[in-house]
């Protein structure tokens, strides 16, 4: 069977267009799934370093800091149709945020701050940036050796919280 160059070029162009759709439509969902799936599950706080100092830097009051230092929250992370949910559950308070990566949203934090928040995925980490009243804090979450490590940064104060899968 003989094909003219124009028919072969048309077939090639059609295949290219189909592949572009496959790459640009299917691949981001696949990559998104790989990126976030490692975080999905229920995690229990097992260690916390310098968290009181971090809360002080945020401006959290004494009584709330005392409760924050005592509780061992569960962090439940799930994904539904590209929307990520992070729910922190404790006997003191339960909070939940739902978000899409790279899209700013309004957040009410466990300590009552009203923030503008954006969460991105950078170098294997979920990076959460909260901004309020001219201040900014960053929470970086990553999986290391099967544990979820949360690095909380406010100015020059750094807290590290370790969670293990429940």
């Amino acid at each position: 069977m003989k094909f003219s160059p124009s028919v072969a070029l048309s077939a090639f162009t059609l295949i290219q267009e189909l592949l572009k759709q496959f790459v640009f439509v299917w691949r981001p969902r696949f990559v998104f799934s790989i990126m976030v799936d490692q975080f999905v599950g229920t995690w229990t706080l097992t260690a916390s370093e310098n968290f009181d100092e971090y809360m002080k830097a945020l401006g959290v009051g004494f009584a709330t800091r005392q409760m924050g230092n005592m509780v061992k929250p569960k962090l439940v992370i799930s994904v539904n149709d590209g929307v990520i949910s992070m729910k922190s559950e404790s006997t003191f308070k339960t909070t939940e945020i739902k978000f899409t990566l790279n899209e700013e949203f309004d957040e009410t934090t466990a300590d009552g701050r009203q923030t503008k928040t954006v969460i991105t995925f950078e170098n294997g980490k979920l990076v959460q940036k909260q901004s309020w009243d001219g201040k900014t804090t960053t929470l970086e979450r990553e999986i290391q050796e099967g544990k979820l490590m949360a690095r909380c940064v406010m100015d020059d104060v750094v807290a590290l919280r370790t969670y293990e899968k429940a």
Side-chain angles (χ1 to χ4, degrees):
M1 192 183 245
K2 248 181 154 182
F3 292 102
S4 70
S6 64
V7 170
L9 185 58
S10 295
F12 179 73
T13 303
L14 177 63
I15 290 170
Q16 272 187 315
E17 289 305 310
L18 288 172
L19 284 174
K20 282 181 187 176
Q21 289 180 11
F22 177 76
V23 169
F24 292 120
V25 173
W26 178 79
R27 188 167 179 230
R29 288 186 186 151
F30 177 71
V31 171
F32 174 82
S33 179
I34 289 173
M35 292 185 318
V36 177
D37 276 353
Q38 62 185 329
F39 293 92
V40 170
T42 300
W43 303 86
T44 303
L45 181 70
T46 57
S48 186
E49 300 170 24
N50 210 34
F51 193 58
D52 190 60
E53 291 302 313
Y54 172 72
M55 288 189 291
K56 278 183 193 174
L58 291 176
V60 177
F62 178 77
T64 303
R65 286 199 329 268
Q66 294 307 305
M67 290 303 294
N69 285 320
M70 287 178 21
V71 297
K72 301 285 186 209
K74 277 194 236 174
L75 182 61
V76 181
I77 301 175
S78 61
V79 180
N80 187 8
D81 286 336
V83 176
I84 302 168
S85 168
M86 280 199 289
K87 187 176 195 177
S88 178
E89 301 174 336
S90 74
T91 53
F92 174 58
K93 189 173 241 183
T94 295
T95 60
E96 181 176 20
I97 56 174
K98 292 184 179 186
F99 60 92
T100 302
L101 288 176
N102 306 315
E103 291 184 14
E104 186 177 77
F105 61 96
D106 295 321
E107 177 183 6
T108 301
T109 64
D111 59 307
R113 288 173 293 123
Q114 302 294 316
T115 69
K116 293 289 186 184
T117 300
V118 65
I119 301 177
T120 57
F121 189 82
E122 303 170 22
N123 301 317
K125 301 175 188 177
L126 283 173
V127 180
Q128 179 176 1
K129 291 186 181 176
Q130 299 171 330
S131 299
W132 76 104
D133 299 335
K135 301 174 187 174
T136 301
T137 186
T138 303
L139 296 90
E140 297 178 350
R141 295 176 180 91
E142 70 178 314
I143 307 299
Q144 292 181 354
E145 299 176 6
K147 297 178 182 180
L148 190 151
M149 307 300 288
R151 186 174 177 264
C152 311
V153 180
M154 178 68 189
D155 299 325
D156 60 347
V157 178
V158 178
L160 185 62
R161 293 170 62 87
T162 304
Y163 295 80
E164 293 185 18
K165 215 148 201 189

